[in-house]
Every structure is written in structure tokens, then in C-alpha cells.
Amino acid sequence: MSHKRIGFATRLGAIAATVGSAVGLGNIWRFPYEAGQNGGGAFLLVYVLCVLLLGIPVMLSEFIIGRSTHQNMKGALQTLVPGKKVYRLAYICITGALVTLGFYFVVCGWVLQYLCHAVTGEFSGQTSQEYGLLFTRLIESPWAMLLWTWLFMAVNFVVMLQGVQKGIERIAAIMMPMLFVLLAVLCANSLLLPGAHKGLQFLFNIDFSHLGWHGVVDAFGQAFMSLSLGIACMVTYAGYFNDETSLSRDAFTVAGLDSLVAIMAGVMIFPAVFSFGMQPEAGPKLVFEILPAVFQQMTGGYIWAILFFLLLLFASLTSTISLSEIAIKFLIEEHNLSRKKAIILTAVLSTILATLCALSFNVLRHWTVFNMNLFDLLNYLASNVFMLLGGLGAALIVGWLIDKKVIQRQLAHKGQRSPRLERYLIVCVRYVAPIAIVLIFLQLTGII
Ligand code: PHE
């Protein structure tokens, strides 16, 4: 069955959507708390190395798989590696996408609630402890958690049902640069706080004593999460790219901007953490406890807060749209569902997971595995298991299985091949990425 191709109209549209997918809560909420829990500078170093040696090559691999076939992950693998069972990797990717949606929607709900707090002026005149309480009160209330999570999900799926995600992505192309500028303002503000240098020292001083093997896995998982890798998201989006765009330029641009936003989030958060006498190891609540305190001491904090949470909401929406599209495209192409049915099925499945995650802080808090509630578990599994496994699979497929001519053709730009780029990709996806990922898995499971 042939399917209508709904490509991105322009190169800018394609890149904006891809950056929109990559830049999201992963950069602004997750990166700071992961770095905070894993000793700061050493985590950042491993993260950057991982982006260069694993992230960009895996992104290029996903681009190649997607654009050479214009299909969902399963169809693409069946076309590129016919007669083998490698297409089964697609099931890991789709499951990974749903697992990610499950916890991600909950955090989007927090952002929505905080936007509401910002509008109603809830942040003014409170102490640091009270900001902590504000967050605790939210997560301990099952109804509040459900309300905000479901509200965000409703927006996401209504946007997709109406087929207006292109419109959202167009708005995001304006909002993203605004978010970037706002982050720069917030970084400057944080750097002027008393004792800011301690935060910078924490983020940029490389001290491996606080980074164990678990921290290394976290850094790898964080890089993959932040770049939207390992769960076929980039395969899906590259399927909508036109054949003229330079994949390498896009991959470097997306990875560069994405990492820059993560580092800026670190510069915004850590000086404030130390200046306000808070703990960098606070975990997922870190950003939600620090930011209100930051806004409260800023001139015009009321407006900054609203603007920030609004822009963050858009950044999150472009990420959840891309996450949902992975499953939707798969269901349409592999199970012949109409787009509407595929969206509804994806909505139902992710609602079940997100509901359980939203309740895992309150009524279901006793459901724990390895000391993690369901939210923490899905958050961990998504990045450190599904994305790393999926990324490993994509690397091995491009490195060892697909026809080299496909790689050469996809990496060429305006008919011009680039041997250096080809070599970088092949060395990384054949050897560096597989060895690195397998080694940390073996280390984690205690085999070596
Ligand atoms: N990269 C997104 C973020 O940083 C999350 C995401 C992961 C989106 C995987 C799509 C696919 O927020």
C-alpha cells in the first residue's frame, strides 16, 4: 500500500521540527538534575564526548535509515535489510517511544501547572522551603497530577488530530529562538547572584570522584534522550526530509543547538542552586524548586516566569508531537490504520502509562521496583535501556548491514561525496558506539 508523503516544505521547516523534537524537557529539566546527581563537570565531559562519538553518528544513522526509505522503522529495516529479522528492532523502538511518552507527559503537566502558578502570581513572596512545598503538594495530589497531565495530553492529541502540528512547528520556529534568548537572560541573571562561581565550578570542574559507572550510563542515556535518539524518532522525521538537505549539516546543527541549550540550562540552574543554599542532588524536582526562587528575585520576575514556562511548554509540545508520531506512523503503515485511528490508539496507550506515572507519586507510591516508583522506572528505562539499545541497533545496522552505496548516497551533498564524513561515521557506528554501549551494559550488570 502506498502512503501519501507529507514532507517538510522547506529545509528550515525540517530542521525546525527536528530541533523542536530534540530541545525539550530533556535539556531544561532533565540535564540539570542528572548533572546535579552525578557530580557536575565529569558528567558534562562524558555527555559531550558521547554526543560527538555516539550521538551524532547514531543520529546520522537514523537519518540515513529514514530518508533512504521514507518509511517507519519497521518498513525501513525490511527494505534496507531484507530477509533478516532485524526489523524486530522496530518493536523495541516503538515500545521505547511509548515508555518515554508515559513519564514525559507527566512532566509536561508540571510545566502547565507552573505556567498557571506564574500567571496567578503564586511565586511571589515565598521562601525556598515554600517552593519545595509547592512542588510536593502538586505531586502528592492525585487529582492535580491527573488534571495537568491529561490537560497537556489533550492539547497534544487534539493538535495531532486536527493535523495542525505543522502549524505548531511553525510557531515553535519563532518560540525556540525566543526560548534561547530568554535562557541567555536567565543565565546572565544567575551569574550575577552572590556565590554564583560555586555553581560554575560545580558544572565545569572535572572531578571524577562523584561519577561512578551508573553516572556514565546516565550521561549516555541523557545524551540519547536529549537528541531524541534510539527510538526511531529521527528515522520517522528523516522520512519527511526532502532529498536535497545535507544530513550531516542537519545532524551537527541539531546536536550543537541541543547541547548548547542543555549547557545553558546548567548555567541558569547551578549558580542559583548554590546561591540559595540548595542541593544539586535534589533529583527531578530540582528545576521546579529553583526556578520560582530565581524569578522571585528578578526585576520583572512575574513576566519572565510566564514567558519562560510558556516557551518551555511549546518546546515540550514539539517533543511530544515527535514522540507520538513514531507510533502513529508505524500504526498507519504497518497496520493500515487511518491516521485518526492511529492517533486515538496512541493516545489511549500513552494515557494508560501516563496515568499510572502520575499516580506513582501518591496513590501508587508503594509500587516500586529497585526502589524506583513507576515514574522513575520509566524515566530510567526510556533513556538507559530503550534508547541505548535502539541506538546500538541503528549503529550496528548502518555500520555492518546496509549497502554502503546507500550510506554514500545519503551522505553526499549536491552530488559530492565526503570521504572524511563517511569515515567518521563508519568508525563510530562500527566500533566506537557498539563497544562503548556494550561495555557499559556489561559493567552495569556486573559482568565485567
Ligand atoms: N529530546 C527530547 C527532549 O530532550 C525528548 C525526546 C526523546 C523526544 C525521544 C523525542 C524522542 O526533551
Side-chain angles (χ1 to χ4, degrees), residues 3 327-339 342:
H3 295 277
I328 292 167
K329 187 168 173 169
F330 169 79
L331 290 169
I332 295 174
E333 292 179 4
E334 299 301 323
H335 294 278
N336 287 337
L337 293 192
S338 67
R339 189 164 174 86

Side-chain angles (χ1 to χ4, degrees), residues 101 104-105 108 152 156 316-325:
L101 276 176
Y104 204 96
F105 274 136
C108 294
F152 185 91
N156 181 72
S316 315
L317 189 59
T318 48
S319 297
T320 53
I321 286 175
S322 74
L323 275 163
S324 317
E325 186 66 23

Side-chain angles (χ1 to χ4, degrees), residues 21-22 24-27 104 225-228 231 233 319 322-323 387:
S21 166
L25 294 168
N27 312 58
Y104 204 96
M225 166 71 77
S226 193
L227 297 175
S228 303
I231 53 174
C233 183
S319 297
S322 74
L323 275 163
M387 293 182 186

